[in-house]
Structure formats: structure tokens, C-alpha cells
Coordinates of all heavy atoms in Angstrom, one line a residue:
M1 N -27.8 123.2 49.4 CA -27.4 124.3 48.5 C -26.0 124.6 48.7 O -25.7 124.9 50.0 CB -28.5 125.5 48.8 CG -28.1 126.6 48.0 SD -29.3 126.8 46.7 CE -29.1 128.3 46.0
P2 N -25.1 124.7 47.7 CA -23.7 124.9 48.0 C -23.6 126.4 48.3 O -24.4 127.4 48.1 CB -23.1 124.6 46.6 CG -24.2 124.5 45.6 CD -25.5 124.3 46.3
N3 N -22.5 126.6 49.2 CA -22.1 128.0 49.5 C -21.7 128.6 48.4 O -20.7 128.3 47.9 CB -21.1 127.8 50.7 CG -20.8 129.2 51.3 OD1 -21.0 130.2 50.6 ND2 -20.2 129.1 52.4
P4 N -22.3 129.7 48.0 CA -21.8 130.5 46.8 C -20.4 130.9 46.8 O -19.8 131.0 45.8 CB -22.9 131.7 46.7 CG -24.1 131.2 47.4 CD -23.5 130.2 48.5
S5 N -20.0 131.2 48.0 CA -18.6 131.8 48.2 C -17.6 130.7 47.8 O -16.4 130.9 47.7 CB -18.3 132.4 49.6 OG -18.4 131.3 50.4
R6 N -18.0 129.4 47.9 CA -17.0 128.3 47.6 C -17.1 127.9 46.2 O -16.4 126.9 45.8 CB -17.4 127.1 48.6 CG -17.1 127.5 49.9 CD -17.4 126.4 50.9 NE -17.1 126.6 52.2 CZ -16.2 125.9 53.0 NH1 -15.8 124.7 52.4 NH2 -15.9 126.2 54.3
L7 N -18.1 128.3 45.4 CA -18.1 127.9 44.0 C -17.0 128.5 43.2 O -16.6 129.7 43.3 CB -19.5 128.2 43.4 CG -20.6 127.5 44.0 CD1 -21.9 128.1 43.5 CD2 -20.6 126.1 43.8
P8 N -16.5 127.9 42.1 CA -15.5 128.5 41.2 C -16.3 129.7 40.4 O -17.4 129.7 40.2 CB -15.2 127.4 40.2 CG -15.8 126.1 40.7 CD -16.8 126.5 41.9
A9 N -15.5 130.6 40.1 CA -16.1 131.9 39.5 C -17.1 131.6 38.4 O -18.1 132.1 38.4 CB -15.0 132.9 39.2
P10 N -16.6 130.9 37.4 CA -17.6 130.7 36.3 C -18.8 130.1 36.7 O -19.9 130.4 36.2 CB -16.7 129.7 35.3 CG -15.4 129.9 35.7 CD -15.3 130.2 37.2
L11 N -18.8 129.1 37.5 CA -20.1 128.4 37.9 C -21.0 129.4 38.7 O -22.0 129.5 38.6 CB -19.7 127.2 38.8 CG -20.9 126.3 39.1 CD1 -21.5 125.9 38.0 CD2 -20.4 125.0 39.9
L12 N -20.4 130.2 39.5 CA -21.1 131.2 40.3 C -21.7 132.2 39.3 O -22.9 132.5 39.6 CB -20.0 131.9 41.3 CG -20.7 133.1 42.2 CD1 -21.9 132.5 43.0 CD2 -19.7 133.6 43.0
Q13 N -21.0 132.7 38.4 CA -21.5 133.5 37.4 C -22.8 133.0 36.7 O -23.8 133.6 36.5 CB -20.6 133.9 36.3 CG -19.5 134.9 36.8 CD -18.8 135.4 35.6 OE1 -18.5 134.5 34.6 NE2 -18.1 136.5 35.7
N14 N -22.9 131.7 36.3 CA -23.9 130.9 35.7 C -25.0 131.0 36.7 O -26.3 130.9 36.0 CB -23.5 129.5 35.4 CG -22.5 129.4 34.2 OD1 -22.2 130.5 33.6 ND2 -21.8 128.3 34.1
W15 N -25.1 131.0 37.9 CA -26.1 130.8 38.8 C -26.4 132.1 39.6 O -27.3 132.0 40.3 CB -25.9 129.6 39.7 CG -26.0 128.3 38.9 CD1 -24.8 127.6 38.5 CD2 -27.2 127.6 38.5 NE1 -25.3 126.6 37.8 CE2 -26.7 126.4 38.0 CE3 -28.4 127.9 38.7 CZ2 -27.5 125.5 37.3 CZ3 -29.4 126.8 38.2 CH2 -28.7 125.7 37.6
A16 N -25.6 133.2 39.5 CA -25.8 134.3 40.4 C -27.2 134.9 40.2 O -27.7 135.4 41.2 CB -24.7 135.3 40.1
W17 N -27.6 134.8 39.0 CA -29.1 135.4 38.7 C -30.1 134.8 39.8 O -31.2 135.6 40.1 CB -29.5 135.3 37.4 CG -29.6 133.8 36.9 CD1 -28.6 133.0 36.3 CD2 -30.8 132.9 37.0 NE1 -29.1 131.8 36.0 CE2 -30.4 131.7 36.4 CE3 -32.0 133.1 37.4 CZ2 -31.2 130.6 36.4 CZ3 -32.8 132.0 37.4 CH2 -32.5 130.8 36.8
Q18 N -30.0 133.6 40.1 CA -31.0 133.0 41.2 C -31.0 133.6 42.4 O -32.1 133.5 43.1 CB -30.6 131.5 41.4 CG -30.8 130.7 40.0 CD -30.8 129.2 40.3 OE1 -30.5 128.7 41.4 NE2 -31.4 128.5 39.3
A19 N -30.0 134.4 42.8 CA -30.1 135.2 44.1 C -31.2 136.1 44.1 O -31.7 136.5 45.2 CB -28.8 135.9 44.4
E20 N -31.6 136.6 42.9 CA -32.6 137.7 42.8 C -34.1 137.1 42.5 O -35.0 137.8 42.2 CB -32.3 138.5 41.7 CG -30.9 139.3 41.8 CD -30.7 140.1 43.0 OE1 -31.8 140.9 43.4 OE2 -29.7 140.1 43.7
A21 N -34.1 135.8 42.4 CA -35.4 135.2 41.9 C -36.6 135.3 42.9 O -36.3 135.0 44.1 CB -35.1 133.6 41.8
V22 N -37.7 135.7 42.4 CA -38.9 135.7 43.2 C -39.3 134.5 43.8 O -39.7 134.3 45.0 CB -40.0 136.3 42.4 CG1 -41.4 136.0 43.1 CG2 -39.8 137.8 42.1
C23 N -39.0 133.3 43.1 CA -39.3 132.1 43.6 C -38.6 131.6 44.9 O -39.0 130.7 45.6 CB -39.4 131.0 42.5 SG -37.8 131.0 41.5
R24 N -37.5 132.2 45.1 CA -36.8 131.8 46.4 C -37.6 132.1 47.5 O -37.4 131.7 48.6 CB -35.4 132.6 46.3 CG -34.4 132.1 45.4 CD -33.1 132.9 45.5 NE -32.6 133.0 46.7 CZ -31.5 132.3 47.2 NH1 -30.9 131.5 46.4 NH2 -31.1 132.4 48.3
E25 N -38.5 133.2 47.5 CA -39.2 133.7 48.5 C -40.5 132.9 48.7 O -41.1 132.8 49.8 CB -39.5 135.1 48.3 CG -38.3 136.0 48.1 CD -37.4 136.0 49.4 OE1 -37.9 136.0 50.6 OE2 -36.3 136.0 49.1
V26 N -41.0 132.2 47.7 CA -42.3 131.7 47.6 C -42.3 130.1 47.7 O -43.3 129.5 47.9 CB -43.3 132.2 46.7 CG1 -43.6 133.6 46.7 CG2 -42.8 131.7 45.3
G27 N -41.1 129.6 47.4 CA -41.0 128.2 47.4 C -41.4 127.5 46.0 O -41.9 128.3 45.0
S28 N -41.2 126.2 45.8 CA -41.3 125.7 44.3 C -42.8 125.2 44.0 O -43.0 124.9 42.9 CB -40.4 124.5 44.3 OG -40.6 123.5 45.1
E29 N -43.6 125.1 45.1 CA -45.0 124.5 44.7 C -45.7 125.2 43.7 O -46.3 124.5 42.8 CB -45.8 124.7 46.0 CG -45.5 123.8 47.1 CD -44.2 124.3 48.0 OE1 -44.0 125.5 47.7 OE2 -43.7 123.6 48.8
P30 N -45.7 126.5 43.4 CA -46.4 127.1 42.2 C -45.8 126.7 40.8 O -46.5 126.8 39.8 CB -46.6 128.5 42.4 CG -46.1 128.7 43.9 CD -45.3 127.6 44.2
F31 N -44.6 126.4 40.9 CA -43.9 126.2 39.7 C -43.8 124.8 39.1 O -43.4 124.5 38.0 CB -42.4 126.7 39.9 CG -42.5 128.2 40.1 CD1 -42.5 128.6 41.5 CD2 -42.5 129.1 39.3 CE1 -42.5 130.0 41.9 CE2 -42.5 130.6 39.6 CZ -42.6 130.9 40.9
F32 N -44.1 123.7 40.0 CA -44.0 122.4 39.6 C -45.2 121.6 39.9 O -45.7 121.8 41.0 CB -42.7 121.7 40.2 CG -41.4 122.4 39.8 CD1 -40.8 123.3 40.5 CD2 -40.8 121.8 38.6 CE1 -39.7 123.9 40.0 CE2 -39.6 122.4 38.2 CZ -39.1 123.4 38.9
A33 N -45.6 120.8 39.0 CA -46.9 120.0 39.1 C -46.7 118.8 40.1 O -45.6 118.1 40.1 CB -47.4 119.4 37.8
P34 N -47.7 118.7 41.0 CA -47.6 117.6 41.9 C -48.0 116.2 41.1 O -48.5 116.4 40.0 CB -48.7 117.8 43.0 CG -49.7 118.8 42.4 CD -48.8 119.5 41.3
A35 N -47.7 115.1 41.7 CA -47.8 113.9 41.0 C -49.2 113.8 40.2 O -49.1 113.4 38.9 CB -47.5 112.7 41.8
E36 N -50.2 113.9 40.8 CA -51.6 113.7 40.2 C -52.2 114.9 40.1 O -53.4 115.0 40.7 CB -52.2 112.4 40.8 CG -51.4 111.2 40.7 CD -52.2 110.0 41.4 OE1 -53.4 110.1 41.4 OE2 -51.5 109.0 41.7
E37 N -51.9 115.9 39.3 CA -52.5 117.1 39.1 C -53.5 117.0 38.0 O -53.3 116.6 37.0 CB -51.7 118.2 39.0 CG -52.1 119.5 38.9 CD -51.1 120.6 38.6 OE1 -50.3 120.5 37.7 OE2 -51.0 121.5 39.3
E38 N -54.8 117.5 38.3 CA -55.8 117.6 37.3 C -55.6 118.8 36.4 O -55.0 119.7 36.8 CB -57.2 117.6 37.9 CG -57.5 116.1 38.6 CD -58.9 116.1 39.0 OE1 -59.7 116.9 38.7 OE2 -59.1 115.1 39.8
R39 N -56.3 118.8 35.3 CA -56.1 119.8 34.3 C -56.4 121.2 34.9 O -55.7 122.3 34.6 CB -56.9 119.5 33.1 CG -56.7 120.6 32.0 CD -57.4 120.2 30.7 NE -57.1 121.2 29.6 CZ -57.6 121.2 28.5 NH1 -58.4 120.2 28.1 NH2 -57.2 122.0 27.7
K40 N -57.5 121.3 35.5 CA -58.1 122.6 36.2 C -57.0 123.1 37.1 O -56.8 124.2 37.1 CB -59.4 122.4 36.7 CG -60.0 123.7 37.2 CD -61.3 123.6 37.8 CE -61.8 124.8 38.5 NZ -63.1 124.7 39.2
G41 N -56.6 122.2 38.0 CA -55.6 122.6 39.0 C -54.3 123.0 38.3 O -53.5 123.9 38.8
R42 N -53.9 122.5 37.3 CA -52.7 122.7 36.6 C -52.7 124.1 36.0 O -51.8 125.0 36.1 CB -52.3 121.6 35.4 CG -51.1 122.2 34.6 CD -50.7 121.1 33.5 NE -51.8 120.7 32.7 CZ -52.4 121.5 31.6 NH1 -51.8 122.6 31.3 NH2 -53.3 121.0 30.8
K43 N -53.9 124.4 35.4 CA -54.0 125.7 34.7 C -54.0 126.8 35.8 O -53.2 127.9 35.6 CB -55.3 125.9 34.0 CG -55.3 125.1 32.7 CD -56.7 125.4 31.8 CE -56.5 125.0 30.5 NZ -57.6 125.6 29.7
E44 N -54.5 126.6 37.0 CA -54.4 127.6 37.9 C -53.1 127.7 38.6 O -52.7 128.9 38.9 CB -55.5 127.3 39.0 CG -55.5 128.2 40.2 CD -55.7 129.7 40.0 OE1 -56.3 130.0 38.9 OE2 -55.2 130.5 40.8
R45 N -52.5 126.6 38.9 CA -51.1 126.7 39.4 C -50.2 127.3 38.3 O -49.3 128.2 38.6 CB -50.6 125.2 39.6 CG -49.3 125.3 40.3 CD -48.7 123.8 40.4 NE -48.9 123.1 39.2 CZ -48.2 123.3 38.1 NH1 -47.3 124.3 38.0 NH2 -48.4 122.5 37.1
D46 N -50.4 127.1 37.0 CA -49.4 127.7 36.1 C -49.7 129.1 36.1 O -48.9 129.9 35.9 CB -49.7 127.2 34.6 CG -49.0 125.6 34.5 OD1 -48.2 125.3 35.2 OD2 -49.4 125.1 33.5
R47 N -51.0 129.5 36.2 CA -51.2 130.9 36.1 C -50.6 131.7 37.3 O -50.1 132.7 37.2 CB -52.8 131.1 36.3 CG -53.3 132.6 36.0 CD -54.7 132.9 36.4 NE -54.9 132.6 37.9 CZ -54.4 133.4 38.8 NH1 -53.8 134.5 38.6 NH2 -54.5 133.1 40.1
Q48 N -50.7 131.0 38.4 CA -50.0 131.6 39.6 C -48.5 131.8 39.4 O -48.0 132.8 39.7 CB -50.3 130.9 40.8 CG -51.7 131.0 41.5 CD -51.8 130.0 42.6 OE1 -51.0 129.2 42.9 NE2 -52.8 130.3 43.5
A49 N -47.9 130.7 38.9 CA -46.5 130.8 38.7 C -46.1 131.8 37.6 O -45.1 132.6 37.8 CB -46.0 129.4 38.2
K50 N -46.9 131.9 36.6 CA -46.5 133.0 35.6 C -46.8 134.4 36.2 O -46.0 135.2 35.8 CB -47.5 132.8 34.4 CG -47.1 131.4 33.6 CD -48.1 131.4 32.4 CE -47.7 130.2 31.4 NZ -48.5 130.3 30.2
S51 N -47.7 134.5 37.0 CA -48.0 135.8 37.7 C -46.7 136.2 38.4 O -46.3 137.2 38.4 CB -49.2 135.7 38.5 OG -49.3 137.0 39.1
L52 N -46.1 135.2 39.3 CA -45.0 135.5 40.0 C -43.8 135.8 39.1 O -43.0 136.7 39.3 CB -44.6 134.2 40.9 CG -45.5 134.1 42.1 CD1 -45.5 132.6 42.6 CD2 -45.4 135.1 43.1
C53 N -43.6 135.0 38.1 CA -42.5 135.2 37.0 C -42.6 136.6 36.4 O -41.7 137.3 36.2 CB -42.5 134.2 36.0 SG -42.2 132.5 36.4
G54 N -43.8 137.2 36.3 CA -44.1 138.5 35.7 C -43.5 139.5 36.6 O -43.4 140.6 36.1
T55 N -43.3 139.3 37.9 CA -42.8 140.3 38.9 C -41.4 140.0 39.1 O -40.7 140.7 39.9 CB -43.5 140.2 40.1 OG1 -43.2 139.0 40.8 CG2 -44.9 140.3 39.9
C56 N -40.7 139.2 38.5 CA -39.3 138.5 38.8 C -38.3 139.4 38.1 O -38.4 139.5 36.8 CB -39.1 137.2 38.4 SG -37.6 136.5 38.9
P57 N -37.3 140.0 38.7 CA -36.3 140.8 38.0 C -35.4 140.0 37.1 O -34.6 140.6 36.3 CB -35.5 141.5 39.1 CG -35.7 140.6 40.3 CD -37.2 140.0 40.1
V58 N -35.4 138.7 37.3 CA -34.4 137.8 36.5 C -35.0 136.9 35.5 O -34.6 135.8 35.1 CB -33.4 137.0 37.5 CG1 -32.5 138.0 38.3 CG2 -34.3 136.1 38.5
V59 N -36.3 137.4 35.1 CA -37.2 136.5 34.2 C -36.4 136.1 32.9 O -36.4 135.0 32.5 CB -38.5 137.1 34.0 CG1 -38.4 138.4 33.2 CG2 -39.5 136.0 33.3
K60 N -35.6 137.0 32.3 CA -34.9 136.8 31.1 C -33.8 135.8 31.5 O -33.6 134.8 30.5 CB -34.3 138.0 30.5 CG -35.5 138.9 29.9 CD -34.8 140.1 29.3 CE -35.9 141.1 28.6 NZ -35.4 142.3 28.1
A61 N -33.1 136.0 32.4 CA -31.8 135.0 32.7 C -32.5 133.6 32.9 O -31.9 132.6 32.5 CB -31.1 135.5 33.9
C62 N -33.6 133.6 33.7 CA -34.3 132.3 34.0 C -34.8 131.6 32.7 O -34.5 130.3 32.6 CB -35.4 132.6 35.0 SG -36.4 131.1 35.3
L63 N -35.3 132.3 31.8 CA -35.9 131.7 30.6 C -34.6 131.3 29.8 O -34.7 130.2 29.2 CB -36.7 132.7 29.8 CG -37.3 132.1 28.5 CD1 -38.1 130.8 28.7 CD2 -38.2 133.2 27.8
H64 N -33.7 132.1 29.7 CA -32.5 131.7 28.9 C -31.8 130.3 29.5 O -31.6 129.4 28.6 CB -31.4 132.8 29.0 CG -30.3 132.5 28.2 ND1 -29.1 131.8 28.8 CD2 -29.9 132.6 26.9 CE1 -28.2 131.7 27.9 NE2 -28.6 132.2 26.8
H65 N -31.7 130.2 30.8 CA -31.2 129.1 31.5 C -32.1 127.9 31.0 O -31.6 126.7 30.7 CB -31.2 129.3 33.0 CG -30.9 128.0 33.6 ND1 -29.8 127.3 33.8 CD2 -31.8 127.1 34.4 CE1 -29.8 126.2 34.4 NE2 -31.1 126.0 34.8
A66 N -33.4 128.0 31.3 CA -34.3 126.9 31.0 C -34.2 126.3 29.5 O -34.2 125.1 29.2 CB -35.8 127.3 31.4
L67 N -34.2 127.3 28.6 CA -34.1 127.0 27.2 C -32.6 126.3 26.9 O -32.7 125.3 26.1 CB -34.3 128.2 26.3 CG -35.7 128.8 26.3 CD1 -35.7 130.2 25.6 CD2 -36.7 127.8 25.8
A68 N -31.7 126.9 27.4 CA -30.2 126.4 27.2 C -30.1 125.0 27.7 O -29.4 124.2 27.2 CB -29.3 127.4 27.8
T69 N -30.8 124.7 28.7 CA -30.6 123.4 29.5 C -31.8 122.4 29.1 O -31.7 121.3 29.6 CB -30.5 123.5 31.0 OG1 -31.7 124.0 31.4 CG2 -29.3 124.4 31.3
H70 N -32.7 122.9 28.3 CA -33.9 122.1 27.9 C -34.5 121.6 29.2 O -35.0 120.3 29.3 CB -33.4 120.9 26.9 CG -33.0 121.4 25.6 ND1 -33.1 120.6 24.5 CD2 -32.4 122.5 25.3 CE1 -32.6 121.2 23.6 NE2 -32.1 122.4 23.9
E71 N -34.7 122.3 30.1 CA -35.3 122.0 31.3 C -36.7 121.5 31.1 O -37.7 122.1 30.5 CB -35.5 123.3 32.2 CG -36.2 123.2 33.5 CD -35.6 122.1 34.5 OE1 -34.4 122.2 34.6 OE2 -36.2 121.2 35.0
P72 N -37.1 120.2 31.4 CA -38.1 119.6 30.9 C -39.3 119.7 32.0 O -40.5 119.3 31.5 CB -37.7 118.1 31.1 CG -36.8 117.9 32.2 CD -36.0 119.3 32.1
H73 N -39.3 120.4 33.0 CA -40.4 120.4 33.9 C -40.6 121.8 34.6 O -39.5 122.5 34.6 CB -40.2 119.4 35.2 CG -40.0 118.0 34.7 ND1 -41.0 117.3 34.2 CD2 -38.9 117.2 34.7 CE1 -40.5 116.0 33.9 NE2 -39.2 115.9 34.2
G74 N -41.7 122.2 34.8 CA -42.0 123.3 35.6 C -42.1 124.6 34.7 O -41.9 124.6 33.7
V75 N -42.5 125.7 35.5 CA -42.6 127.0 35.0 C -41.3 127.7 35.2 O -40.8 127.8 36.4 CB -43.9 127.8 35.5 CG1 -43.8 129.2 35.0 CG2 -45.1 127.1 35.1
W76 N -40.5 128.1 34.2 CA -39.3 128.8 34.2 C -39.5 130.1 33.3 O -39.9 129.9 32.1 CB -38.1 127.9 33.8 CG -37.8 126.8 34.7 CD1 -38.5 125.7 34.9 CD2 -36.6 126.6 35.4 NE1 -37.9 124.9 35.7 CE2 -36.6 125.4 36.0 CE3 -35.6 127.4 35.5 CZ2 -35.6 124.9 36.8 CZ3 -34.5 127.0 36.4 CH2 -34.6 125.7 37.0
G77 N -39.0 131.2 33.8 CA -39.0 132.4 33.1 C -40.4 132.7 32.4 O -40.5 133.3 31.4
G78 N -41.4 132.4 33.1 CA -42.8 132.7 32.7 C -43.4 131.8 31.7 O -44.5 132.0 31.3
L79 N -42.6 130.7 31.3 CA -43.2 129.7 30.4 C -43.2 128.3 30.9 O -42.4 127.8 31.6 CB -42.3 129.8 29.0 CG -42.3 131.0 28.3 CD1 -41.5 130.7 27.1 CD2 -43.7 131.5 27.9
T80 N -44.4 127.6 30.6 CA -44.5 126.3 31.1 C -43.5 125.4 30.1 O -43.1 125.8 29.1 CB -46.0 125.7 30.6 OG1 -46.2 125.8 29.4 CG2 -46.9 126.4 31.5
A81 N -43.3 124.2 30.6 CA -42.5 123.3 29.7 C -42.9 123.1 28.4 O -42.2 123.1 27.4 CB -42.3 121.9 30.6
R82 N -44.3 123.0 28.2 CA -44.9 122.8 26.8 C -44.5 124.2 25.9 O -44.1 124.0 24.8 CB -46.3 122.5 26.9 CG -47.0 122.6 25.6 CD -48.5 122.3 25.7 NE -48.6 121.0 26.2 CZ -49.8 120.2 26.3 NH1 -50.9 120.9 25.8 NH2 -49.8 119.0 26.8
E83 N -44.7 125.3 26.5 CA -44.5 126.5 26.0 C -43.0 126.6 25.5 O -42.6 127.2 24.4 CB -44.9 127.7 26.7 CG -46.4 127.8 26.8 CD -46.9 128.7 27.9 OE1 -46.0 129.1 28.8 OE2 -48.0 129.2 28.0
R84 N -42.0 126.2 26.4 CA -40.6 126.4 26.0 C -40.3 125.3 24.9 O -39.5 125.5 24.1 CB -39.8 126.0 27.3 CG -39.9 127.1 28.4 CD -38.8 126.9 29.3 NE -38.9 125.6 30.0 CZ -39.6 125.2 31.0 NH1 -40.5 126.0 31.6 NH2 -39.5 124.0 31.5
R85 N -41.0 124.1 24.8 CA -40.6 123.1 23.8 C -41.0 123.7 22.5 O -40.4 123.4 21.5 CB -41.4 121.9 24.1 CG -40.7 121.0 25.1 CD -41.3 119.5 25.0 NE -42.7 119.4 25.4 CZ -43.2 119.3 26.7 NH1 -42.3 119.3 27.7 NH2 -44.4 119.2 26.9
R86 N -42.1 124.5 22.6 CA -42.5 125.1 21.1 C -41.5 126.0 20.7 O -41.4 126.3 19.5 CB -43.8 125.9 21.4 CG -45.0 125.0 21.6 CD -46.3 125.9 21.5 NE -47.4 125.0 21.9 CZ -48.3 125.4 23.0 NH1 -48.0 126.6 23.5 NH2 -49.1 124.6 23.3
L87 N -40.6 126.6 21.6 CA -39.5 127.6 21.1 C -38.4 126.8 20.6 O -37.4 127.3 20.2 CB -39.1 128.4 22.3 CG -40.2 129.5 22.8 CD1 -39.7 130.3 24.0 CD2 -40.6 130.4 21.6
L88 N -38.3 125.5 21.0 CA -37.0 124.7 20.6 C -37.6 123.5 19.8 O -37.9 122.4 20.3 CB -36.6 123.9 21.9 CG -35.9 125.1 22.9 CD1 -35.5 124.4 24.2 CD2 -34.6 125.7 22.3
P89 N -37.8 123.7 18.5 CA -38.3 122.7 17.6 C -37.6 121.4 17.6 O -38.3 120.4 17.7 CB -38.2 123.4 16.2 CG -38.1 124.8 16.5 CD -37.4 124.9 17.8
A90 N -36.4 121.4 17.7 CA -35.7 120.1 17.8 C -35.9 119.3 19.0 O -36.2 118.1 19.0 CB -34.1 120.3 17.7
A91 N -36.1 120.0 20.1 CA -36.4 119.3 21.4 C -37.9 118.8 21.3 O -38.2 117.6 21.8 CB -36.3 120.2 22.5
A92 N -38.7 119.6 20.7 CA -40.1 119.3 20.7 C -40.4 118.0 19.8 O -41.2 117.2 20.1 CB -41.0 120.4 20.2
A93 N -39.6 117.8 18.9 CA -39.7 116.7 17.9 C -39.3 115.4 18.6 O -39.8 114.3 18.2 CB -38.9 116.9 16.7
T94 N -38.5 115.5 19.7 CA -38.1 114.2 20.4 C -38.8 114.0 21.7 O -38.6 113.0 22.4 CB -36.5 114.3 20.7 OG1 -36.2 115.4 21.5 CG2 -35.7 114.4 19.3
T95 N -39.8 114.9 22.0 CA -40.4 114.8 23.3 C -41.7 114.3 23.0 O -42.5 114.6 22.1 CB -40.5 116.1 24.0 OG1 -39.2 116.6 24.2 CG2 -41.2 116.0 25.3
P96 N -42.3 113.2 23.7 CA -43.6 112.7 23.6 C -44.7 113.6 23.8 O -44.6 114.4 24.5 CB -43.6 111.4 24.4 CG -42.5 111.4 25.3 CD -41.6 112.6 24.8
Ligands
SF4_101 S1 -38.8 133.8 36.3 FE1 -40.1 132.7 37.5 S2 -39.2 130.6 37.8 FE2 -37.6 132.0 37.0 S3 -36.5 132.8 38.8 FE3 -38.2 134.2 38.4 S4 -39.8 133.6 39.6 FE4 -38.5 131.8 39.5

């Protein structure tokens, strides 16, 4: 992780919201699927991730970032990748 004090100001502004992220405290496991996850496990993991996002003070900034960058994996801003694709019709049309 880069030292934030060494980042140029515009880049630091773009990522500053992450300093307040709830997921910084719990790690990435609830937010990203392991390689061979079964459907039942995925639903429970997604539920846990969404619950954490629901307590996160930067949920709007996180979702905005995920949509703006077309983040293809994981739960960001309380939405799964599939749910985010539904908000981006052009992206959904090109994703299998
Ligand atoms: S909204 Fe969820 S994924 Fe985004 S920073 Fe907060 S806890 Fe992490």
C-alpha cells in the first residue's frame, strides 16, 4: 500500500474515502468469492458483505468508485458485481 502522504493530491483525493472503510478492519474475505464457491456459500458471503457495507460511512463513495471503474468483482458499496452491472446497461451488454 502506498504511503498516502507521498501521493499527488488529486490521486489522494480519489482514494481518501477508503481510510474510513469498514472493510479495512475486517479484511477482504467477505467481499470477494474464493475460487470454487458454491451458490449457497456465495449467498451467505454476499449477505455478510452487504451487512458490513450497510454500516460503512463511505458506502456512497465506494459504490460511485465501483460503478465509475466498472469494478468487475466483489461486493462494493453494498452491491454485488451482478447488481452493479444492472445499473450499467452498456457494461452488462458486453459481460457474459
Ligand atoms: S461500502 Fe463496503 S466494500 Fe465499500 S468501503 Fe464500505 S465496507 Fe468496504
Side-chain angles (χ1 to χ4, degrees):
M1 179 108 169
N3 180 343
S5 67
R6 293 179 174 234
L7 294 173
L11 189 55
L12 179 59
Q13 280 183 337
N14 290 343
W15 293 96
W17 59 270
Q18 291 193 344
E20 306 296 322
V22 165
C23 51
R24 286 178 58 102
E25 305 298 322
V26 299
S28 62
E29 288 80 11
F31 300 90
F32 294 95
E36 296 188 21
E37 184 176 49
E38 295 188 11
R39 184 174 183 182
K40 183 178 177 186
R42 175 176 52 81
K43 283 189 168 191
E44 176 56 21
R45 185 189 44 72
D46 284 347
R47 188 198 61 74
Q48 286 180 339
K50 288 179 174 191
S51 178
L52 290 164
C53 292
T55 68
C56 184
V58 293
V59 64
K60 287 183 182 177
C62 178
L63 180 57
H64 179 270
H65 166 78
L67 292 171
T69 60
H70 293 206
E71 178 58 49
H73 303 290
V75 172
W76 290 69
L79 297 181
T80 65
R82 177 177 294 192
E83 291 166 339
R84 292 193 307 275
R85 281 195 297 273
R86 288 189 194 125
L87 297 177
L88 297 170
T94 59
T95 304

